[in-house]
Amino acid sequence: MADREAIYDFIEADNPRAALELDEQFSRRADQLMRHPMAGRPGRVPSTRELVIRPNYVLIYDMDGETVRILRVLHAARQWPPATEE
């Protein structure tokens, strides 16, 4: 996933250990969603949910039946949903 790789690369430049710990936390929380898909809050985009990973990171996902699909992993400073062009 491009979001996750970009976050990892950015943090790794200054602190490789912190990058690895955050990436592992992303994995653990995504695994938890498999067992508890309603753990996140209703998303800002219809039909999505959002799980706060840390105060600054949000995992955006949706569900198709019993399948959880991770759509984005974003820093809270990023605009979500993206601005629409008129």
Side-chain angles (χ1 to χ4, degrees):
M1 172 180 286
D3 293 332
R4 187 172 168 178
E5 289 175 18
I7 291 167
Y8 183 91
D9 292 345
F10 180 78
I11 295 172
E12 183 187 38
D14 290 328
N15 190 335
R17 183 181 183 119
L20 182 59
E21 288 173 2
L22 180 60
D23 194 66
E24 289 173 349
Q25 190 172 23
F26 288 154
S27 290
R28 283 192 306 275
R29 297 301 299 272
D31 287 345
Q32 288 175 344
L33 284 177
M34 301 303 194
R35 293 183 303 280
H36 306 286
M38 298 303 285
R41 64 186 181 209
R44 289 168 268 186
V45 173
S47 302
T48 66
R49 298 191 67 80
E50 300 177 7
L51 182 67
V52 176
I53 303 296
R54 288 188 181 177
N56 291 328
Y57 294 96
V58 179
L59 190 147
I60 297 143
Y61 66 101
D62 69 3
M63 295 179 294
D64 184 12
E66 292 188 22
T67 302
V68 174
R69 295 184 306 177
I70 309 284
L71 304 173
R72 303 289 311 263
V73 179
L74 297 175
H75 190 278
R78 302 275 313 264
Q79 180 170 338
W80 183 257
T84 57
E85 295 184 28
E86 295 181 31

